[in-house]
Amino acid sequence: MTYIIKPVNHHPNLEKNALGLTRRDYEGTISTLCAGCGHDSISAAVIEACYDLSLASDQIAKLSGIGCSSKSPSYFLNQAHGFNSVHGRMPSVATGANLGNQDLLYLGVSGDGDTAGIGIGQFMHAARRQLNITYIVENNGTYGLTKGQFSATNDQGSKSKYGEENVLAPIDLAAMAIQLGAGFVGRSFSGDKDQLVPLLKAAMKFKGFSLIDIISPCVTFNNHVGSTKSYDHIREHNESVSSLDFVPIGQEIKTSYNEGSKVDVPLHDGAILTLEKLSKKYNPLDKGLAVQSLNEAEKNGKVLTGLLYINPEIKDHAEILNISDTPLNQFSDKELCPGSNKLAKVNASLN
Amino acid sequence: MSKLASINEFVIKFANVNGSGSASANQMIAKGIFRSGIPVSPKNIFPSNIQGLPTWFEIRASEKGYLGRKAGIDFMVAMNPQSYIQDVAEINPGGYLLYDSSWKREFHREDINIIEVPLTSLCVDEFQNPKTRLLFKNLVYVGALSYLMSIKKDIFIELIEEQFKGKEKLIAPNVQALEMGFNYAKKHLVDACDIKVNQKNLTDGMILTNGNNAGGLGCVYGGATVCAWYPITPSTSLAESYKKYCDQFRVDEKTGKNKFAFVQAEDELASIGMAIGANWNGARAFTATSGPGISLMTEFVGLAYFAEIPVVIFNIQRGGPSTGMPTRTQQSDILSCAYASHGDTKHVMLIPSDPKECFEFAAESFDISDRLQTPVFVLSDLDIGMNDWTCPEFEWDDAREFDRGKVLSKDDLDKMESWGRYLDADGDGIPFRTLPGTHPEKGAYFTRGSSHDEYARYVEDGEINARNLSRILKKFEGAHKFLPKPIFKQDINASSKGLIYFGSTEAAMQESLDQLSASGFPIDAMRVRSFPFSAEVWDFIDQHEFVFLVEQNRDAQMKTLMLSEGNINPEKFISVLSFDGAPITADFISESIIEIMSDKDTSKTAEEIK
Ligand SMILES: Cc1ncc(C[n+]2csc(CCOP(=O)(O)OP(=O)(O)O)c2C)c(N)n1
Ligand code: SF4
Ligand SMILES: [Mg+2]
């Protein structure tokens, strides 16, 4: 937000993080979404995760497409630059932004229409490129902003508010991202903060493409009986594959897990992700198994949540392109312009 | 039989099969003439095909510097039986036809001179490998032409040595093939050809290059760090040139890492999105495309316009509409660029006319785009982009600094009481911007394509939106200050008639103006180089009774643009339009104008019209 200096009234006793900031410092403008919209819970979870990680908001860029979901970056992190781009095309803007300055933390916020419909090509290519972004899909199975049409993630047989049945099979963005080589793929539910916040924190610390597909019910158009993206339906069919703890560098792992069910995954900066596998069969480092489990769950009408897949060895887009460690937007004229002597050589090569 | 005789003024054309390796031999002839000190304009006429179809390469050599395309061929090297009929028909009376007489042919033209060289037989006798035989055939005709036209053989040997630097083994057989052709002609074709090259020094200080090579280089010099593109003829080689020069100049010696990013996007929706994203972060970025890509990019162009994000878009125009003629030239995207995107939008356009301007405008486009915080189109075309032009050497002033426009630093922000992203603080319509990550507490805002107020807040208040749109228009109206001015072909107006042209038409214009003067119709000419138009453009139109507008499109798009932007009586404009996909010729321009003038003034003599 551009600024007009105004006094900040914080409650003196609000808890502070390592940067001396309170949760309120991570807030955005007041939401204009419908009361009860899942997207608002996700904004709250983002605030929580950034607060917990003591992130500096100004080092975060939040980008989105178009939709109710894509509006939500306004509702968190006031001190972060935001970019509400065009429908379905946030991934390319984020890719360019990242090329310009890979030092910022990129938070992409999109909807299921934005990502699985108009923007599916860009989504797939961003995943394939290992764009270093935390890509959040606020998935409600519907086009909220245009008033309730089916989206491509809507389940076959699910009913619209007006009783119409969806006849097409859904696109599973998580399975697709895993197959495209995304390094971090999770699924969660806007109503499950305990699962969502650690997942977000881990995703933000992950270097590479991290997708979190978050089921986020649309209370106005897709929260009725017969919809498979309603609060009730998700609560009943949610099956968590893992519970997750994010341990920043230098901190000890405090949580104790049952021997044998624990997996430690070291991240790029030395932080550690500790996972408790809730199902013996599941291993989030196994790509094939992850895809297979997602397919099976879909068949059984279950929604698998948690960290579905992680590949900590991935290189991100900037590394793949061998881009200098100094961000490209920070070079001086002299460092970029080859000058007249070199031009004389070019001239000599052209006559 | 009469033989065309000419020194340093001729057109030679090569008819080949696409993919037969002829391109480098033909290029060698062009360079050979250029290095003989004679200006040349080689043109590649190629199908949208990789192998098998006919392709042509046309070289005009002119010591007068008339380098536009010219219809009618003085010397035809016919290497493709598939196109013989058409090729032979094109030869001027008294002209020459050189063909591979390993298979004797009748050509049924009494008025041309047939030159027989048994290229294949010579190669079969000399070289073993069937594949190399095919390639060497091309060098044999280079050798023959060297003798026939008196182009110094040493120049070609030098060119071969340069071409195979690092693969020295290949030099000897190539030179051998060249010598074979030369010696054959010397023995059998004495006095066969009266078209000659006579060494001069007219190309000192000149280079032979194409606009895409120059444009890519200009982007490096202009400080572009991100190129996001999607392959499309005829723009691809601009992106590739950028990459080529970045590999030379932008790799950190110590770390081996790149001070640039080169991304082949999945489509043009993505390439422009990436370029916008990078510019949003303050990294200079561009994309290069052609008509179909422009169509796809328009939604994003509107976003960059309205959210005021710099971005540079090269449009190397080709024949439209739709897929059209991908390998032919046109100037038919004037309107689709000037008004790209929905809603009230207008865009800055730079219109280079030769490779040197492609270099300069490319470098300048980033300053202009940063200064105005708006998309800038650089409108080149296939003729400039993909054909080599004889043009002055590139120049660079080392004292020059990039103009990054109104970007606030952390210090600036610290000193400011308040700031609004879209506030017209200076009264020039250009607001101040901030880059992400500049300041921990100040300067963050939400960039959006939806209506916003001066503080970048989302608003649906029509009055505020109208105010914002008016400010953006004000910015646009002041843009001409930063843009290249028109160029006049004369110091002062001498005629009541004016002529406006732009872009690649430059190549044909001097010749045409000379022809018109010689025919008793002198005309004042102005070349437009940018949009929005400056006062000079309107004055020139004002100062002439009527104005010819020469364009390479069907619908007189530049005329439409001028009529819609200026206060002009439409009757004043007379269009001269060429849109067959071939570069416009001086003859076409002059003949069209003379015909119109003669019609218009049947009652007056040429002298009176002046
Ligand atoms: C090019 C284009 N086409 C159509 C629209 C209209 N539109 C706006 S939002 C939207 C759907 C958004 O759905 P989703 O991404 O699922 O977001 P939600 O509102 O459900 O959170 C559409 C079709 C648009 N803005 N741009
Ligand atoms: S329409 Fe649906 S998605 Fe949009 S704000 Fe309302 S509840 Fe949320
Ligand atoms: Mg949706």
Side-chain angles (χ1 to χ4, degrees):
Chain A
M1 174 69 126
T2 39
Y3 65 92
I4 309 170
I5 291 177
K6 57 176 187 234
V8 195
N9 295 319
H10 278 176
H11 193 280
N13 298 331
L14 280 180
E15 242 182 280
K16 291 188 175 153
N17 65 12
L19 290 182
L21 299 173
T22 69
R23 278 184 183 75
R24 300 215 51 187
D25 294 314
Y26 290 90
E27 287 174 358
T29 55
I30 291 168
S31 171
T32 58
L33 303 180
C34 306
C37 174
H39 302 349
D40 279 337
S41 312
I42 298 172
S43 297
V46 171
I47 291 169
E48 186 77 25
C50 294
Y51 167 82
D52 282 357
L53 290 175
S54 297
L55 297 177
S57 297
D58 68 300
Q59 295 303 311
I60 299 176
K62 26 176 207 175
L63 298 102
S64 62
I66 298 290
C68 297
S69 35
S70 291
K71 287 183 179 184
S72 42
S74 295
Y75 314 138
F76 54 80
L77 307 185
N78 249 343
Q79 301 310 330
H81 271 253
F83 197 150
N84 196 191
S85 67
V86 286
H87 194 19
R89 261 61 63 73
M90 172 270 282
S92 64
V93 176
T95 304
N98 190 291
L99 294 172
N101 183 359
Q102 73 269 38
D103 283 356
L104 301 179
L105 192 158
Y106 291 91
L107 267 183
V109 179
S110 177
D112 44 317
D114 202 62
T115 288
I118 189 167
I120 194 153
Q122 296 215 337
F123 167 74
M124 292 171 84
H125 285 276
R128 172 175 172 255
R129 288 191 180 97
Q130 282 313 332
L131 172 63
N132 186 11
I133 189 172
T134 297
Y135 193 113
I136 296 167
V137 178
E138 305 189 343
N139 185 351
N140 53 18
T142 189
Y143 286 18
L145 194 59
T146 51
K147 299 192 188 289
Q149 299 82 3
F150 289 131
S151 82
T153 64
N154 195 291
D155 292 310
Q156 195 165 22
S158 181
K159 290 212 172 64
S160 82
K161 190 178 180 180
Y162 312 103
E164 192 190 339
E165 194 176 301
N166 176 28
V167 293
L168 296 176
I171 289 174
D172 183 333
L173 291 170
M176 179 183 272
I178 295 170
Q179 274 173 326
L180 287 165
F184 182 113
V185 178
R187 174 166 284 147
S188 192
F189 170 42
S190 63
D192 186 356
K193 207 174 180 177
D194 291 343
Q195 183 192 52
L196 182 53
V197 173
L199 201 54
L200 275 168
K201 291 197 300 196
M204 287 193 262
K205 282 290 167 182
F206 184 82
K207 195 170 176 194
F209 192 84
S210 40
L211 167 73
I212 311 181
D213 180 23
I214 308 170
I215 313 297
S216 174
C218 168
V219 288
T220 307
F221 296 110
N222 204 14
N223 195 34
H224 44 272
V225 176
S227 156
T228 60
K229 295 274 194 291
S230 67
Y231 278 112
D232 287 347
H233 186 93
I234 298 299
R235 282 200 188 101
E236 278 159 31
H237 296 82
N238 185 345
E239 193 172 285
S240 181
V241 293
S242 58
S243 117
L244 189 95
D245 227 5
F246 176 73
V247 187
I249 332 176
Q251 272 183 33
E252 263 177 73
I253 301 168
K254 292 197 197 93
T255 341
S256 62
Y257 290 104
N258 298 331
E259 234 12 79
S261 71
K262 195 187 103 176
V263 189
D264 282 348
V265 185
L267 296 182
H268 292 75
D269 66 350
I272 290 176
L273 258 189
T274 300
L275 277 162
E276 187 184 13
K277 299 197 287 179
L278 299 181
S279 140
K280 280 223 171 62
K281 282 199 317 219
Y282 205 81
N283 176 8
L285 293 160
D286 183 335
K287 192 169 176 175
L289 188 62
V291 175
Q292 193 190 336
S293 306
L294 282 167
N295 289 344
E296 267 165 32
E298 199 219 318
K299 239 183 277 162
N300 302 330
K302 296 272 183 208
V303 180
L304 281 199
T305 58
L307 177 60
L308 302 171
Y309 176 67
I310 184 166
N311 177 358
E313 261 126 54
I314 229 126
K315 274 189 175 177
D316 84 335
H317 193 216
E319 286 175 278
I320 294 168
L321 294 183
N322 192 32
I323 293 178
S324 75
D325 298 335
T326 308
L328 293 177
N329 69 349
Q330 280 157 38
F331 285 108
S332 68
D333 300 13
K334 286 282 164 284
E335 288 166 304
L336 295 178
C337 182
S340 62
N341 288 339
K342 299 230 167 84
L343 195 59
K345 289 200 183 116
V346 173
N347 281 326
S349 74
L350 298 172
N351 58 28
Chain B
M1 164 126 25
S2 77
K3 286 199 289 187
L4 263 178
S6 164
I7 293 172
N8 298 342
E9 291 290 341
F10 58 88
V11 180
I12 178 169
K13 186 169 181 173
F14 301 82
N16 302 93
V17 179
N18 208 10
S20 66
S22 54
S24 76
N26 300 344
Q27 189 66 36
M28 203 174 273
I29 296 282
K31 271 233 151 152
I33 303 171
F34 177 86
R35 289 210 184 163
S36 304
I38 311 302
V40 288
S41 58
K43 298 210 186 293
N44 232 318
I45 303 153
F46 59 106
S48 187
N49 161 270
I50 301 301
Q51 199 172 42
L53 289 185
T55 89
W56 293 270
F57 190 76
E58 218 173 82
I59 304 168
R60 181 163 185 196
S62 167
E63 64 173 36
K64 287 191 210 137
Y66 290 163
L67 294 176
R69 190 178 67 90
K70 189 169 163 47
I73 304 303
D74 301 316
F75 198 122
M76 177 74 73
V77 178
M79 296 293 289
N80 187 1
Q82 225 185 319
S83 62
Y84 269 161
I85 297 178
Q86 169 184 356
D87 297 337
V88 170
E90 253 190 289
I91 302 170
N92 289 325
Y96 306 84
L97 170 78
L98 184 154
Y99 82 106
D100 183 354
S101 61
S102 312
W103 300 274
K104 291 260 184 200
R105 292 284 288 226
E106 283 299 316
F107 290 99
H108 310 293
R109 264 192 76 171
E110 301 305 318
D111 61 339
I112 59 172
N113 303 284
I114 313 276
I115 299 177
E116 299 191 328
V117 184
L119 301 165
T120 304
S121 311
L122 288 171
C123 286
V124 169
D125 294 346
E126 203 72 26
F127 301 106
Q128 305 307 319
N129 181 332
K131 204 178 156 214
T132 42
R133 261 182 214 159
L134 191 75
L135 290 174
F136 285 136
K137 227 161 62 169
N138 301 317
L139 269 148
V140 177
Y141 70 66
V142 174
L145 287 169
S146 165
Y147 175 80
L148 289 165
M149 299 186 136
S150 313
I151 310 168
K152 288 213 171 88
K153 194 172 64 189
D154 288 353
I155 295 178
F156 293 115
I157 295 175
E158 197 177 275
L159 285 167
I160 290 171
E161 285 167 357
E162 285 169 23
Q163 187 183 347
F164 296 106
K165 207 164 176 194
K167 300 178 206 157
E168 270 74 14
K169 264 203 214 141
L170 293 173
I171 295 175
N174 276 281
V175 171
Q176 187 189 347
L178 179 86
E179 297 275 11
M180 254 164 55
F182 188 91
N183 293 334
Y184 181 90
K186 191 171 171 188
K187 192 160 164 203
H188 303 280
L189 300 169
V190 182
D191 293 334
C193 173
D194 287 347
I195 292 178
K196 299 287 182 198
V197 172
N198 186 3
Q199 190 121 3
K200 296 245 156 140
N201 57 4
L202 300 170
T203 55
D204 290 0
M206 307 289 264
I207 51 176
L208 187 60
T209 191
N210 60 69
N212 285 352
N213 190 52
L217 180 68
C219 292
V220 178
Y221 273 75
T225 48
V226 177
C227 168
W229 66 294
Y230 187 74
I232 183 169
T233 306
S235 71
T236 300
S237 53
L238 193 150
E240 289 169 346
S241 155
Y242 173 76
K243 168 77 161 55
K244 174 182 77 181
Y245 288 117
C246 279
D247 283 341
Q248 280 179 34
F249 300 136
R250 288 273 194 80
V251 179
D252 189 282
E253 278 169 22
K254 272 186 241 124
T255 62
K257 290 200 170 190
N258 298 334
K259 290 189 273 182
F260 69 95
F262 184 71
V263 181
Q264 183 185 321
E266 58 270 33
D267 54 35
E268 288 88 347
L269 303 172
S271 57
I272 179 112
M274 290 177 195
I276 289 171
N279 274 299
W280 177 70
N281 247 341
R284 292 186 155 185
F286 70 98
T287 185
T289 189
S290 192
I294 294 290
S295 294
L296 284 182
M297 290 178 184
T298 52
E299 188 191 16
F300 254 133
V301 169
L303 171 71
Y305 174 81
F306 193 45
E308 301 180 66
I309 305 165
V311 63
V312 173
I313 303 152
F314 288 86
N315 178 2
I316 316 303
Q317 299 167 93
R318 66 187 210 182
S322 190
T323 303
M325 295 203 294
T327 60
R328 306 298 147 111
T329 197
Q330 264 183 3
Q331 300 175 320
S332 49
D333 299 339
I334 309 292
L335 291 171
S336 70
C337 289
Y339 298 132
S341 209
H342 54 279
D344 289 322
T345 55
K346 304 194 202 203
H347 309 291
V348 170
M349 302 193 295
L350 305 181
I351 313 174
S353 73
D354 70 358
K356 175 137 197 227
E357 278 190 347
C358 288
F359 172 77
E360 287 171 352
F361 289 8
E364 269 170 52
S365 65
F366 296 96
D367 283 356
I368 295 167
S369 187
D370 271 356
R371 169 56 49 189
L372 295 167
Q373 299 174 27
T374 200
V376 170
F377 286 92
V378 182
L379 247 70
S380 171
D381 64 23
L382 182 141
D383 186 21
I384 311 175
M386 291 188 72
N387 289 322
D388 279 350
W389 290 46
T390 299
C391 70
E393 287 180 343
F394 303 132
E395 292 163 296
W396 191 262
D397 175 2
D398 288 324
R400 176 169 168 175
E401 281 173 15
F402 299 154
D403 176 1
R404 295 188 191 242
K406 299 185 187 178
V407 180
L408 296 173
S409 67
K410 180 166 183 295
D411 281 356
D412 295 334
L413 285 164
D414 275 331
K415 283 183 216 131
M416 293 169 87
E417 274 291 289
S418 75
W419 165 70
R421 167 67 181 98
Y422 299 109
L423 260 183
D424 186 7
D426 296 338
D428 58 1
I430 307 172
F432 285 83
R433 67 173 182 142
T434 56
L435 303 178
T438 304
H439 193 290
E441 287 124 32
K442 293 166 157 191
Y445 71 99
F446 213 73
T447 304
R448 48 161 57 94
S450 40
S451 44
H452 41 265
D453 70 5
E454 285 80 353
Y455 293 88
R457 291 176 295 218
Y458 177 64
V459 285
E460 292 187 14
D461 181 325
E463 223 169 280
I464 295 176
N465 193 48
R467 195 162 71 213
N468 192 33
L469 284 172
S470 302
R471 177 187 54 76
I472 296 175
L473 182 63
K474 178 170 163 194
K475 167 173 97 166
F476 185 79
E477 283 168 348
H480 62 86
K481 289 196 291 284
F482 307 103
L483 305 183
K485 299 263 175 273
I487 299 258
F488 298 91
K489 281 274 179 191
Q490 58 290 315
D491 294 336
I492 46 158
N493 291 333
S495 168
S496 60
K497 289 153 288 291
L499 181 153
I500 296 177
Y501 69 104
F502 55 94
S504 60
T505 303
E506 172 68 23
M509 193 45 69
Q510 192 57 53
E511 183 178 14
S512 178
L513 292 174
D514 290 350
Q515 288 170 345
L516 287 165
S517 290
S519 312
F521 299 107
I523 288 187
D524 300 329
M526 172 179 73
R527 176 159 66 84
V528 168
R529 302 201 296 168
S530 58
F531 175 74
F533 306 116
S534 60
E536 289 92 334
V537 173
W538 304 127
D539 290 348
F540 180 85
I541 296 168
D542 257 3
Q543 289 155 7
H544 291 89
E545 192 187 320
F546 54 93
V547 176
F548 291 96
L549 203 29
V550 182
E551 311 191 37
Q552 300 189 51
N553 61 60
R554 183 194 68 182
D555 290 345
Q557 295 190 21
M558 185 60 88
K559 172 174 138 183
T560 306
L561 187 61
M562 289 187 163
L563 289 177
S564 81
E565 295 292 321
N567 186 16
I568 301 166
N569 172 7
E571 305 273 299
K572 229 178 163 167
F573 281 140
I574 304 169
S575 287
V576 174
L577 305 170
S578 166
F579 51 96
D580 61 1
I584 197 167
T585 66
D587 291 343
F588 172 82
I589 299 169
S590 308
E591 282 160 22
S592 309
I593 291 177
I594 290 169
E595 191 182 307
I596 295 162
M597 299 252 268
S598 313
D599 248 24
K600 245 187 144 53
D601 303 283
T602 37
S603 59
K604 300 183 196 165
T605 65
E607 200 46 44
E608 283 170 321
I609 298 170
K610 260 191 268 170

